């Protein structure tokens, strides 16, 4: 079992930055692949970024590539999403997720555990 709690969301102007954190409890955090998803009102949840257990390989949606960076600190059982050059279209609730099986990390069904989400609002 994994319990995930996101933090770091807020209101920011376009072009600004935010750093999201996801703190995990459970004995096997370091064995999980981790991902970030987001969902805007009336929209489906979409993939943002993912990172394998070792941190050696990362994946990004085309819409955030070059602006967002995912990282993890297994000693602290925490995964991060650094978001730079934010745009109004980045406005959404951001969710942290953990996958026991890291074979496919680019869609929601690939994950086993989810946090409650943190709101990010980018004003123009």
């Amino acid at each position: 079992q994994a319990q995930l709690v996101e933090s770091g969301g807020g209101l920011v102007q376009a072009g600004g930055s935010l750093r999201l954190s996801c703190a995990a409890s459970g004995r096997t955090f370091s064995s999980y692949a981790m991902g970030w998803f987001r969902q805007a009102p009336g929209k489906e949840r979409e993939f943002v970024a993912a990172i394998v257990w070792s941190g050696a390989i990362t994946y990004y949606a085309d819409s955030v590539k070059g602006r967002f960076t995912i990282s993890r600190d297994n000693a602290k059982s925490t995964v991060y999403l650094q978001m730079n050059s934010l745009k109004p279209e980045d406005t959404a609730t951001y969710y942290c997720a953990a996958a026991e099986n890291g074979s496919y990390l680019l869609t929601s069904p690939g994950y086993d555990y989810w946090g409650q989400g943190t709101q990010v609002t980018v004003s123009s």
Side-chain angles (χ1 to χ4, degrees), residues 37-98:
F37 289 74
R38 65 188 183 186
Q39 187 168 26
K43 306 289 186 179
E44 292 189 339
R45 188 169 297 185
E46 66 174 351
F47 170 78
V48 176
I51 187 167
V52 301
W53 70 269
S54 68
I57 303 173
T58 57
Y59 304 89
Y60 296 95
D62 288 342
S63 59
V64 307
K65 200 170 298 181
R67 301 188 297 121
F68 291 11
T69 303
I70 188 171
S71 61
R72 68 189 296 162
D73 186 340
N74 288 345
K76 294 182 170 62
S77 297
T78 302
V79 63
Y80 306 95
L81 186 68
Q82 178 67 46
M83 305 186 295
N84 298 326
S85 301
L86 283 162
K87 305 174 181 179
E89 51 262 47
D90 295 317
T91 295
T93 300
Y94 282 71
Y95 297 90
C96 177

Side-chain angles (χ1 to χ4, degrees), residues 4-62:
L4 310 175
V5 180
E6 304 94 335
S7 62
L11 175 64
V12 64
Q13 292 184 340
S17 297
L18 286 173
R19 187 196 193 208
L20 306 184
S21 297
C22 174
S25 62
R27 295 181 60 190
T28 57
F29 171 82
S30 62
S31 70
Y32 298 149
M34 302 293 296
W36 287 96
F37 289 74
R38 65 188 183 186
Q39 187 168 26
K43 306 289 186 179
E44 292 189 339
R45 188 169 297 185
E46 66 174 351
F47 170 78
V48 176
I51 187 167
V52 301
W53 70 269
S54 68
I57 303 173
T58 57
Y59 304 89
Y60 296 95
D62 288 342

